[in-house]
Amino acid sequence: MKVSYNWLQDYFDKTLPVPEKLGELLTIHAFEVESIEKKGDDSVLDVKVLPDRSHDCLSHKGIALEVGFLANIPVKPKMRDIGSISLPESNVLKIEVENSKICKRFSALVMENIEVKDSPDWLVNRLEAIGQRSINNIVDATNYVMFAFGQPLHAYDRDLLKETDGGWKILVREAREGESLTALDNKEYKLDIGELAIVDGNSDLILGIAGVKGGKACEISKCTKHIILEAANFDPILIRKTSKRIGLRTDASVRFENEITPELTTTALKAVSDLIFKIAGTDETQVEGLVDAYPQPAALYKLGFSLSEVQGLIGIDISYNEVEDILVRRGYEFKFIEPSDLLVKLSPKFIGVPYKLGASILRDAPRFFDCSSLVSYLYAQVGISIPRMTVDQLVFGENISKDDLDPGDLVFSNSGVGKIHKESIEFMPGVQFPEGVDHVGIYMGDGIVIHTSRPAGVVVEENLNDSSSFDNPVGYRRFPALQETRYVISVPAERLDLRLKEDFIEEIGRVYGYKDLKSRPIKPFFEKVNIDSSDFYSNVLRKFFAEHGYSEVITYAFQKKGDVEIQNPLASDKAFLRSSLSDGLGEAFALNARNADFLGLVEVKIFEIGNVFTNEGEHLAVAFAGGGVEEIKRKISELNIALDFKTENKVSEANFSLAIKTLPQPSADQKVSVSDIATAEDSVRFKPFSQYPVVLRDIAVFVPEADDHNEIIEVVKSESDGLLMNYRLFDTFTKDFPEGKKTSYAYRLVFQSFEKTLSDDEINPIMERVTGILNSMSGWQVR
Amino acid sequence: MTLVYNLIMSVEKPIGHIHPLNQIIAQTSDIFSELGFGVVSGPEIETEYYNFDALNIPAHHPARDMWDTFWIKDELPHLLSGSLKGKSPMSSVSETGDRWDGARPEMLRKLLRTHTSPVQVRYAESNQPPIRIIVPGKAFRHEATDATHEAQFFQLEGLMIEEDVSLANLKYVVEYYFEKLFGAKVATRFRPSFFPFVEPGVEIDMSCFKCGGKGGDCSTCRGTGWIEIMGAGMVHPKVLMAMKVDPRKYKGFAFGGGIDRLAMLKFGIPDVRMFYDGDLRFINQF
C-alpha cells in the first residue's frame, strides 16, 4: 500500500514526525515500511500491509488511525468520524440484489447536474504520488475516496443506462452462460456461471463484474451530466475466485477479497458526494437520493481479556494503567467489569425475547435466541468467548457439582425436546459425551435459572428444581474467566481482524512494544528428547562417508523426467520430481571430475542423502559415486545397515527408508555428535573461486633433512603473483647423498586467474624464478 | 585475489566434507537438544490439509498468496505417507464468520510442502504436550530463482507447547540458539507480523553478529545493525485444536526460518544456488 505523507497529515492538526521516523514507528509497532520515496514536496511510504490488517489498512484513514495511535497524536475528530450519509430514498433508482449472502450491501447515490472536467492539481498530485493516473474529476473522486477509506466505488453515467417509466434499475445477479463484459480497458472478459455481475435492470446489459472491473457501456465522459455512485460489499471468496480466473487484480478486487466491513459504504458515499460537490459541482448540482440495500446489518462484535491473560501470553509485567493508556489512545470503547456480576445483571433483561431454533449470534441476537445462542451471547457481552453449540459449551466448561453452582454457571440437561448431541463439534471435535445433551441454561443464584426453549417460546426465568426443561440434568459447568475482572472491548466495525482474545492481546503487546520484551528462560525438560530415526541414521552414514573421503552434495529435486509430475513446473526441464538420486549425483560427479586438479583430489568421491519420489511413494535414498564400490558396500554392511545398492553409470544408490525401518529406534545417548560431522570452523568464510581453467605444474625438490620443506610452497606463493590456487603433495621419498640424507617432495601446483585463461607465457617465468630460488638454497635441489 | 588454501591439504587420508547446510542442521539439533528439543521429520509431498488448512490458512484466503505452491499433477493417493486423520477442526462457516470450509475432498490435493510446519501438526496429533521439537527439512516455493531465492530450500521449524509458555520464552530460546550458532552475543528484536498459524505473530530480527549491531558500512546487515531472520509467534488456538491439543490448558510458540539463509550469513555465502550445484569447489570449503 502506497501511502502519501502529505495525505496522512490531513488527519492531524499536529505536525507528524518526519517520514523516516514515521516509517520506523510503523515498522516497529505495526507494519514493515519497505521504502520511503521522495516525490516533489511529498514522501511516499510503501507499507507492507499483511492480510490480517488488509480489512482496514489498505486506506489512508486506516494508516492514519494507526499512526495517531502509535505516535500518540490525536486524529482530528471530523476525520475520524465523518458520519454516514442520510438522505431520502431515491425516486428514480431501484436496486435489486438477487442474493444478499454474496452481496451483503449495495448502496447507491444519484447525483444530478455535475460537470465532468479535469481534476484540480491537488487531487492529481495526490493520486500521482501513490502511482495512480488522473482520468477526470468524477473517476478521480471515486479513486480518491477508495484510497482514503478502503471502500471501492464506481460511477456510472446514468443516461447511458436504460430508462423505463422515468426510472433506472441496477440488478446484482449471478452471471449466466455466455455472458461477457467489455471493460473500461476495452478488453472483453467472459463471465462464468455463478460469478457476480452488475446489470442494467431495464435492459439486462452487463455493466460490470462485481468488485473487479467496471464496463465501457456506462463510462463517465465529458458529456456526462447525471451519475449513479455505487458503494457495495461483495463476498471475499467469490471476488477472489473471479479475479484469479480472469487474471485481473484491481485495487477494488484486492480490497474485496481481503473482506471489508459493509458498514463502510454510506460513509464512502458521503465522502465522495462532498468531494464531487467541491470539484464537479455546478449551481444545479444536487443529490437526488440514496438507495441502500442492506438487509442484515452487521452486529457489533465484543471481545474481552484479563490483565493476567495479556501477561501470560506475551510474558510481560504490564500494568492496568499501561493497558488502559493503550486502549484510550486508540479510542477503543471499553469497560472494565466483573463478569459474573454483569452476567447476573444483564441476563434478566432478555426475558421475553422470542425463541428461534438456530438463531445466529451475529445476525439474530438480541432479537431471537435459542438456548445456546442466549448463553453464548450473554458471555460475549461480558467479554468471554465460549462455543456456540450446547454440546461444545458442555465440553468447554469446567465440571462442577450442583452444590457448587454460583451465579453465571451453566446448567445442562437432556430435555428430550431438541437434537441430542453426544460428541463435540467445533471445540476439540470428537470429544465423547455418552449421556448426550440438548439443553442449556444460565444459573442466576437462589435456585433460579434463565433459559429459552421451543416449548417456552421465549426467554424465561424459572426455578431450577421446578423447570421441566431441567428434569434430566446431565452436568454443571463453570468458565474460570468468569471469576476475574475483565476488559470488554467493542470492536470497531472495520477491525475484522479482532475476533479472538489473542488478537487483542497482540494489539496490546505490539503497542506496548516488543522491544521491551525481556527474555524468560524456559523450564528444564524432564521428558525424553525425541530422536528421529531418519535423522539419526542419516548422520551415521554422513559420518561414515566423510571418513572415507566422500563429500556430501545436495542436488535438485526437480528433473526433466520421473514418476511424479508437477502441475505447475517452473520450466519444462523441471517438470518432474526425481525418482532417484542418480541423475543429479552423476552430473555432480562429472562436474567435479573436471575440477579434480583444482580441488587437489586424486579421485572425486561424493554422496547424497535425500528424498526421491516414485510410483510406490516417497522414500529417503542414499547414493554415492567414486571410490571402491565393493569396499563401501562391505563396510556399510559391517555397520549393520542393510542397504541394497544398485550401481549404474558410476552411481550406486539404495533405498534408505527400507533400511531404517529394520533398524532399532536410537536413544538419546546414542546421538551422533555435531563434532563428528560438522567440520567447518565458526570462522570459516566463503571464498569465491574462479571460473577460468587451471594450469598445472609439478615440482619435485630434494630438501636436506634438517630443513623445512614447507619453504617450497612459501617460495611458490611469493613468486606466483597470487595465481597459485591450490597444491597437493603427491610423492615423497628419502635418499642418501654424500652430504647427508635428503627427502624429495613432489608437489602438484594449481595455477588459476580470476581474470583470464592463463597460458605458459605467464606460468613458465614463475616456474623459472621458483627453480632459481630453490636451487640457490644450501643443499636444495630441484629435480 | 584470495587464495583458497583450505581446500584439501592431506594426501594420505583425504577427509570428505559434509554439506554446509547439514553442518548447520547438525549444529542446530545439538543446540536445541540442550534445551530439550528433539528432531522430527515428515514427508516432502504433503496434502493441502496439513500444509494449509490445519495451519489456519483456508482455501481462497488471501493469506494463501504468502506461499507460492508447487502442486502435484494426478492423484496418487499412495504417495501420501500419513492418513488424513481428524479432518478439519471446524465445521462450515461458523458463527464468528470464520471461513473454514470444513473437510472437503480438495484438502487431500497434494503439493510440495511450502514449509516444514505441517510436521508440527502431524507430530502433535499423536504426541500430547509437553512438546519441544524442531523440524529441519526441505521445503519448496514456486518462485523464480536468483541469488537469494531458490525453489527448493531448507527450513527450520520449532514448536514448544506447555501449560505456561509466552513470547518472552520464545525470545529466550531463539537468543540461546543464535548465540551458539553464530558464536557471538546477539540480541533479538521482535516486530509485529502476521502468519495465520500464530497469534500474536512476530518477525524476528537478530542483531548483526558481524558488526555487533553497530551498522555503519557493515555488508552483512547492510548497515542497519539488524538481520531479518525468522517468523514466529504464539500458536493460534485453531491450530492447537487441529493438533488435538486443548487450547484452554496449553499454550505454545512456533518459529520458522530458512536454514539456507542462516548458513549464508554464518559463512558469508553470496548466492543460495551454490548449495545445490553439487560443486566441491564450494562444499569442500566448509
Side-chain angles (χ1 to χ4, degrees):
Chain A
M1 163 86 189
K2 296 233 186 300
V3 176
S4 150
Y5 180 81
N6 290 348
W7 193 333
L8 278 186
Q9 183 64 63
D10 288 356
Y11 290 83
F12 303 92
D13 288 320
K14 214 176 137 185
T15 307
L16 286 174
V18 297
E20 290 67 29
K21 281 264 173 259
L22 207 57
E24 209 178 295
L25 195 66
L26 284 169
T27 295
I28 294 296
H29 293 284
F31 319 101
E32 197 172 326
V33 174
E34 295 191 306
S35 67
I36 300 174
E37 198 189 334
K38 196 104 186 105
K39 275 203 176 171
D41 67 341
D42 200 357
S43 288
V44 179
L45 290 79
D46 193 0
V47 183
K48 191 171 163 188
V49 179
L50 295 171
D52 61 331
R53 296 302 301 279
S54 294
H55 311 296
D56 68 311
C57 279
L58 291 179
S59 68
H60 279 76
K61 185 183 174 187
I63 301 285
L65 290 180
E66 200 60 43
V67 163
F69 185 24
L70 299 174
N72 205 3
I73 305 175
V75 175
K76 291 182 197 168
K78 71 174 194 332
M79 295 297 280
R80 175 181 272 277
D81 186 11
I82 69 156
S84 57
I85 200 159
S86 76
L87 275 174
E89 171 111 3
S90 168
N91 290 315
V92 297
L93 180 65
K94 295 251 173 311
I95 301 291
E96 188 184 328
V97 175
E98 207 180 58
N99 180 354
S100 65
K101 280 209 174 83
I102 49 179
C103 174
K104 284 191 192 140
R105 190 175 192 182
F106 195 102
S107 316
L109 198 65
V110 180
M111 284 188 86
E112 294 174 340
N113 299 312
I114 52 92
E115 185 191 356
V116 180
K117 54 187 176 186
D118 289 342
S119 290
D121 287 347
W122 71 264
L123 180 54
V124 174
N125 291 342
R126 281 282 161 87
L127 290 174
E128 278 180 356
I130 59 166
Q132 298 294 315
R133 195 165 50 91
S134 168
I135 313 269
N136 58 49
N137 54 354
I138 299 298
V139 174
D140 289 357
T142 60
N143 274 331
Y144 183 81
V145 171
M146 170 170 70
F147 289 110
F149 290 88
Q151 168 69 53
L153 294 162
H154 192 72
Y156 302 90
D157 183 331
R158 191 185 72 185
D159 298 328
L160 297 176
L161 270 79
K162 190 174 177 204
E163 185 183 345
T164 301
D165 303 328
W168 293 267
K169 183 176 172 187
I170 289 177
L171 171 64
V172 184
R173 65 161 168 80
E174 291 182 10
R176 301 180 189 130
E177 184 160 3
E179 288 188 321
S180 66
L181 171 86
T182 305
L184 286 165
D185 56 10
N186 285 319
K187 285 188 194 136
E188 187 170 321
Y189 295 96
K190 289 198 168 33
L191 280 154
D192 262 7
I193 298 172
E195 289 175 343
L196 203 57
I198 312 292
V199 177
D200 183 333
N202 291 334
S203 71
D204 217 32
L205 178 75
I206 307 273
L207 303 177
I209 304 170
V212 183
K213 195 81 182 169
K216 193 83 187 158
C218 295
E219 188 181 8
I220 304 295
S221 72
K222 292 275 179 218
C223 315
T224 302
K225 286 193 83 72
H226 314 301
I227 56 172
I228 298 169
L229 291 160
E230 163 199 318
N233 191 277
F234 300 112
D235 180 70
I237 292 180
L238 182 68
I239 300 304
R240 181 172 163 87
K241 281 182 173 169
T242 306
S243 137
K244 279 210 151 178
R245 189 193 59 78
I246 63 180
L248 187 61
R249 263 171 82 83
T250 59
D251 289 310
S253 76
V254 166
R255 284 165 178 78
F256 284 123
E257 74 169 39
N258 277 291
E259 195 173 6
I260 48 177
T261 173
E263 291 293 297
L264 256 180
T265 62
T266 42
T267 304
L269 286 178
K270 180 173 186 348
V272 79
S273 60
D274 287 351
L275 184 55
I276 287 173
F277 267 109
K278 243 184 258 170
I279 64 172
T282 64
D283 292 344
E284 284 93 53
T285 299
Q286 62 157 345
V287 174
E288 186 274 332
L290 171 77
V291 190
D292 190 11
Y294 192 20
Q296 281 192 312
L300 190 66
Y301 204 93
K302 286 198 173 171
L303 262 188
F305 62 90
S306 69
L307 188 70
S308 68
E309 285 169 347
V310 180
Q311 291 170 336
L313 198 66
I314 311 279
I316 43 173
D317 296 319
I318 192 168
S319 69
Y320 281 112
N321 283 341
E322 286 168 314
V323 168
E324 275 168 35
D325 174 56
I326 289 169
L327 296 177
V328 170
R329 260 161 70 183
R330 182 61 156 91
Y332 282 114
E333 231 177 85
F334 71 96
K335 286 193 186 112
F336 190 51
I337 57 138
E338 300 297 333
S340 56
D341 294 357
L342 185 59
L343 206 51
V344 171
K345 214 159 77 187
L346 274 180
S347 302
K349 294 190 177 164
F350 296 95
I351 290 169
V353 173
Y355 178 87
K356 179 179 161 188
L357 180 65
S360 159
I361 294 174
L362 287 182
R363 292 185 300 274
D364 295 320
R367 294 174 294 130
F368 300 96
F369 291 113
D370 65 13
C371 66
S372 53
S373 83
L374 173 68
V375 168
S376 186
Y377 176 82
L378 286 169
Y379 267 80
Q381 301 315 299
V382 302
I384 299 171
S385 167
I386 66 168
R388 162 68 185 83
M389 299 184 67
T390 310
V391 64
D392 293 322
Q393 292 168 353
L394 181 87
V395 171
F396 189 81
E398 196 174 88
N399 197 3
I400 52 169
S401 72
K402 191 179 179 184
D403 295 340
D404 288 339
L405 274 178
D406 275 338
D409 291 338
L410 298 187
V411 186
F412 292 86
S413 70
N414 203 329
S415 70
V417 174
K419 186 175 184 310
I420 307 281
H421 285 284
K422 299 187 171 181
E423 185 180 300
S424 63
I425 297 163
E426 287 195 357
F427 176 76
M428 300 298 290
V431 176
Q432 300 296 313
F433 186 72
E435 282 177 87
V437 62
D438 71 349
H439 193 57
V440 62
I442 185 161
Y443 186 69
M444 289 289 107
D446 299 327
I448 300 296
V449 64
I450 287 181
H451 70 114
T452 184
S453 65
R454 188 150 47 84
V458 292
V459 177
V460 293
E461 184 179 53
E462 288 183 305
N463 195 307
L464 181 59
N465 292 329
D466 303 339
S467 168
S468 58
S469 296
F470 294 96
D471 278 351
N472 184 19
V474 293
Y476 307 92
R477 295 289 184 273
R478 174 172 298 163
F479 300 99
L482 212 52
Q483 317 304 325
E484 204 179 355
T485 320
R486 264 177 117 66
Y487 291 97
V488 183
I489 315 289
S490 300
V491 177
E494 72 274 14
R495 291 299 301 273
L496 298 172
D497 61 313
L498 300 177
R499 286 296 177 262
L500 300 175
K501 69 168 186 270
E502 288 80 4
D503 299 324
F504 210 90
I505 293 173
E506 167 167 63
E507 191 83 348
I508 304 282
R510 72 183 174 88
V511 178
Y512 174 81
Y514 295 137
K515 70 174 180 347
D516 295 325
L517 185 63
K518 302 258 181 316
S519 85
R520 285 185 184 171
I522 56 174
K523 294 187 190 113
F525 196 63
F526 299 111
E527 309 283 321
K528 207 175 74 201
V529 173
N530 192 72
I531 303 286
D532 186 75
S533 280
S534 295
D535 181 62
F536 175 85
Y537 288 109
S538 293
N539 282 340
V540 169
L541 276 195
R542 281 192 183 103
K543 183 172 182 239
F544 167 83
F545 275 115
E547 281 168 359
H548 289 80
Y550 288 80
S551 282
E552 184 183 29
V553 298
I554 299 175
T555 62
Y556 284 99
F558 301 106
Q559 293 285 341
K560 60 175 174 290
K561 54 188 197 320
D563 292 346
V564 180
E565 192 172 356
I566 307 280
Q567 194 179 303
N568 52 337
L570 280 176
S572 58
D573 62 345
K574 293 171 183 158
F576 290 86
L577 290 173
R578 61 184 178 190
S579 55
S580 75
L581 298 173
S582 304
D583 287 351
L585 203 67
E587 279 172 35
F589 186 76
L591 165 78
N592 290 306
R594 290 195 295 274
N595 295 324
D597 286 319
F598 170 87
L599 291 161
L601 293 174
V602 184
E603 185 184 18
V604 170
K605 297 200 254 181
I606 55 174
F607 75 100
E608 178 167 9
I609 299 172
N611 284 22
V612 300
F613 310 86
T614 71
N615 285 326
E616 280 75 51
E618 175 179 344
H619 71 261
L620 190 62
V622 53
F624 67 94
V629 174
E630 292 310 314
E631 182 203 354
I632 292 297
K633 283 186 188 174
R634 180 176 49 77
K635 286 188 168 169
I636 288 179
S637 70
E638 282 165 13
L639 291 172
N640 286 322
I641 300 178
L643 288 169
D644 183 15
F645 281 106
K646 300 268 188 302
T647 305
E648 210 176 316
N649 297 329
K650 293 183 188 162
V651 180
S652 306
E653 176 163 351
N655 183 325
F656 197 8
S657 290
L658 279 181
I660 291 169
K661 278 191 195 121
T662 67
L663 291 163
Q665 170 67 33
S667 67
D669 50 334
Q670 272 182 295
K671 220 170 163 319
V672 181
S673 162
V674 64
S675 54
D676 289 335
I677 71 162
T679 44
E681 300 289 331
D682 277 350
S683 58
V684 169
R685 304 294 287 175
F686 167 77
K687 295 190 186 76
F689 45 86
S690 164
Q691 300 297 334
Y692 292 101
V694 298
V695 174
L696 302 177
R697 287 290 188 275
D698 290 346
I699 189 166
V701 189
F702 278 120
V703 179
E705 251 199 330
D707 291 356
D708 180 5
H709 73 274
N710 288 318
E711 195 62 26
I712 301 170
I713 292 303
E714 289 309 314
V715 169
V716 181
K717 274 189 205 169
S718 67
E719 295 303 316
S720 69
D721 307 325
L723 297 176
L724 181 68
M725 282 297 150
N726 201 4
Y727 57 90
R728 172 165 66 87
L729 181 65
F730 67 88
D731 187 41
T732 58
F733 65 89
T734 307
K735 197 178 160 186
D736 285 323
F737 284 83
E739 62 268 31
K741 269 190 180 172
K742 289 185 190 179
T743 304
S744 164
Y745 293 92
Y747 283 94
R748 170 151 296 185
L749 306 173
V750 183
F751 295 97
Q752 191 183 36
S753 160
F754 274 89
E755 279 101 36
K756 59 182 177 178
T757 301
L758 293 176
S759 67
D760 287 348
D761 294 345
E762 280 127 329
I763 302 305
N764 290 348
I766 295 174
M767 292 310 291
E768 280 163 23
R769 289 200 302 273
V770 168
T771 306
I773 293 169
L774 293 176
N775 277 334
S776 71
M777 291 163 67
S778 169
W780 291 50
Q781 186 189 346
V782 177
R783 290 168 59 218
Chain B
M1 266 316 196
T2 337
L3 290 171
V4 191
Y5 282 117
N6 59 335
L7 291 180
I8 292 288
M9 304 301 279
S10 158
V11 66
E12 284 80 19
K13 198 192 172 203
I15 296 296
H17 291 248
I18 304 292
H19 195 282
L21 290 176
N22 281 322
Q23 294 197 36
I24 296 278
I25 290 172
Q27 203 183 343
T28 298
S29 308
D30 253 29
I31 298 167
F32 275 101
S33 75
E34 293 164 18
L35 295 171
F37 287 72
V39 174
V40 178
S41 60
E44 290 171 16
I45 291 185
E46 260 299 356
T47 59
E48 187 172 0
Y49 172 75
Y50 281 109
N51 196 76
F52 289 125
D53 298 82
L55 295 166
N56 193 27
I57 315 166
H60 309 302
H61 191 282
R64 281 238 178 151
D65 293 346
M66 294 163 73
W67 294 271
D68 293 320
T69 309
F70 284 108
W71 295 92
I72 303 292
K73 204 172 179 172
D74 299 328
E75 281 298 298
L76 297 167
H78 48 273
L79 274 174
L80 184 63
S81 42
S83 64
L84 180 78
K85 293 175 285 186
K87 305 190 183 69
S88 164
M90 300 292 142
S91 61
S92 61
V93 175
S94 82
E95 268 295 291
T96 48
D98 292 321
R99 298 209 157 267
W100 286 80
D101 290 5
R104 294 160 293 115
E106 301 96 275
M107 286 187 183
L108 289 166
R109 281 201 299 172
K110 277 176 225 75
L111 46 78
L112 288 175
R113 64 179 179 191
T114 59
H115 40 200
T116 55
S117 323
V119 183
Q120 294 182 3
V121 181
R122 288 178 175 276
Y123 181 81
E125 274 180 349
S126 45
N127 294 273
Q128 280 296 298
I131 290 173
R132 292 185 190 184
I133 56 166
I134 57 166
V135 192
K138 203 185 270 179
F140 304 85
R141 296 271 166 92
H142 190 277
E143 56 187 17
T145 57
D146 60 30
T148 52
H149 298 88
E150 246 302 351
Q152 74 174 38
F153 62 99
F154 281 76
Q155 209 210 9
L156 174 69
E157 184 83 12
L159 174 72
M160 171 168 170
I161 302 179
E162 278 169 27
E163 284 183 26
D164 188 16
V165 180
S166 70
L167 273 187
N169 294 136
L170 167 66
K171 192 173 164 82
Y172 172 82
V173 168
V174 294
E175 283 180 356
Y176 184 94
Y177 170 55
F178 293 141
E179 270 183 44
K180 295 244 170 172
L181 184 69
F182 291 102
K185 180 91 190 147
V186 294
T188 62
R189 172 176 88 169
F190 288 11
R191 285 184 285 115
S193 191
F194 169 71
F195 307 98
F197 31 89
V198 287
E199 189 69 43
V202 295
E203 199 74 58
I204 301 178
D205 296 337
M206 173 182 82
S207 66
C208 182
F209 60 92
K210 199 71 201 298
C211 64
K214 285 197 261 312
D217 56 358
C218 176
S219 61
T220 302
C221 62
R222 292 197 201 90
T224 62
W226 294 99
I227 299 169
E228 193 175 316
I229 197 99
M230 270 182 176
M234 300 301 294
V235 183
H236 197 286
K238 279 183 192 161
V239 177
L240 288 175
M241 281 203 268
M243 291 171 166
K244 308 206 181 311
V245 171
D246 188 340
R248 289 167 309 176
K249 193 166 172 203
Y250 296 105
K251 287 185 290 196
F253 64 68
F255 58 84
I259 294 170
D260 305 51
R261 183 159 160 71
L262 292 170
M264 288 167 81
L265 284 166
K266 176 163 169 148
F267 298 128
I269 296 163
D271 192 325
V272 65
R273 291 168 292 195
M274 289 181 159
F275 290 121
Y276 307 107
D277 284 343
D279 192 336
L280 297 190
R281 287 178 296 179
F282 169 75
I283 289 161
N284 283 5
Q285 292 190 30
F286 303 98

